[in-house]
Amino acid sequence: MFQTLYSYFWWERLWLPENVTWADLEDRDGRVYAKASDLYITLPLAFLFLVVRHLFETYVATPLAGLLNVKEKIRLKATPNAVLEKFYAATTKHPKQVRGGGAPKGARRGWGRANGRAGAPRHGGDVPAAPQADVEMLSKKSGCTKPWFYDLREVWKGYPIQSMLPSQYWYYMIELSFYWSLLFSIASDVKRKDFKEQIIHHVATIILISFSWFANYIRAGTLIMALHDSSDYLLESAKMFNYAGWRNTCNNIFIVFAAVFIITRLVILPFWIMHCTVVYPLDLYPAFFGYYFFNFMMVVLQSLHIFWAYLIIRMAQKFI
């Protein structure tokens, strides 16, 4: 049964155009092609990233934060209160706002005194005391001098018989390993408002990267990853300046980040890149399952971009 499912999953008509087989993508004459087995290395690399992140946060980020005068917030531990804990467990661990009418009066008074103000949320105790450093370890040079980086019709020239560049191999392995590490660590990280959307994003990204690799969509995949990565540095920089208390610098960088995010993900991605992946392939071969699957996952990512752009614009309006 397993062998049957395996055969159906790797059926060539699912992932490749007509008249193309996996044998056509075997290495020959010095040309190397992407293979699904290449992706196995990303799992041990993901755990390596987790180790590197831990070491970086412990021995680099934390001492550097001290030099920048980033101090841990002192949080007073609430006095144990059985009535309060029962109310807390019966409602939610992540209330939007604690209002006076919800919790029992005695519990509210004790809760407020323990946290320094009346009605202070108990869930503050669930938040880590110090901000966690974000570790972005991504390669950016993956064929940017090639014609298909500028002429999007070149993305599909000769597809799927397109050999890969060494830089593309490492870009894919590092990027996919990085997103595996994010997915593995998301349960232990701070749970933000967009927790569910982050999980959907990580899963969709892992699926997209993996599929684009073994179906040899690597030219389109390289463009999409580079486009997504272009705004991440600005966001991480804004976070660090915010932790350091440099509010004006943080706000200015965030405004630039918002502009880059909107231009790359709400303009370039849908009107250039997605146009490239939806329209141009049909000039070369009839649509097949892999074509629909790839573009469906792109629509999922684009929907998340619209959601995040809405939040980003609201924050940018406050800064302005």
Side-chain angles (χ1 to χ4, degrees), residues 9-17 22 25 34-36 39 156 159 172 176 180 203-221 224 277 285 288-298:
F9 181 84
W10 290 110
W11 186 36
E12 291 154 337
R13 294 288 67 78
L14 284 179
W15 310 115
L16 298 175
W22 296 117
L25 299 179
K35 306 174 192 64
L39 302 181
W156 305 107
Y159 177 82
Y172 260 83
L176 184 55
W180 274 122
V203 172
T205 301
I206 288 170
I207 292 174
L208 262 174
I209 294 175
S210 301
F211 165 76
S212 67
W213 179 258
F214 70 71
N216 217 27
Y217 271 58
I218 54 177
R219 290 185 181 180
I224 294 167
T277 62
Y285 50 79
F288 59 103
F289 175 78
Y291 164 86
Y292 291 115
F293 178 79
F294 182 83
N295 287 294
F296 170 76
M297 296 306 297
M298 289 292 293

Side-chain angles (χ1 to χ4, degrees), residues 18-43:
E18 288 183 356
N19 303 320
V20 179
T21 67
W22 296 117
D24 295 322
L25 299 179
E26 293 180 358
D27 300 346
R28 62 172 63 87
D29 301 327
R31 296 168 63 88
V32 180
Y33 298 93
K35 306 174 192 64
S37 58
D38 295 333
L39 302 181
Y40 290 142
I41 194 177
T42 61
L43 292 177

Side-chain angles (χ1 to χ4, degrees), residues 6 55 85 147 184 208:
Y6 181 86
L55 295 176
E85 291 298 330
F184 294 155
L208 262 174

Side-chain angles (χ1 to χ4, degrees), residues 136 138-142 144 148-149 152 171-172 175 179 201 205 208-209 218-235 256-277 294 298 301-302 305:
E136 299 285 349
L138 303 172
S139 170
K140 295 295 174 286
K141 297 181 180 179
S142 305
C144 60
W148 48 265
F149 202 85
L152 295 182
Y171 191 18
Y172 260 83
E175 190 90 354
Y179 276 103
H201 175 268
T205 301
L208 262 174
I209 294 175
I218 54 177
R219 290 185 181 180
T222 300
L223 292 175
I224 294 167
M225 290 191 298
L227 194 68
H228 279 74
D229 294 338
S230 61
S231 61
D232 290 345
Y233 296 115
L234 293 169
L235 179 60
V256 176
F257 158 75
V260 173
F261 183 97
I262 291 170
I263 291 172
T264 56
R265 304 198 190 191
L266 298 189
V267 179
I268 296 178
L269 184 67
F271 296 107
W272 271 269
I273 305 300
M274 290 183 68
H275 180 267
C276 168
T277 62
F294 182 83
M298 289 292 293
L301 276 185
Q302 187 58 38
H305 295 158

Side-chain angles (χ1 to χ4, degrees), residues 34-54:
K35 306 174 192 64
S37 58
D38 295 333
L39 302 181
Y40 290 142
I41 194 177
T42 61
L43 292 177
L45 278 179
F47 286 102
L48 178 61
F49 275 1
L50 292 175
V51 173
V52 171
R53 174 179 174 175
H54 174 74

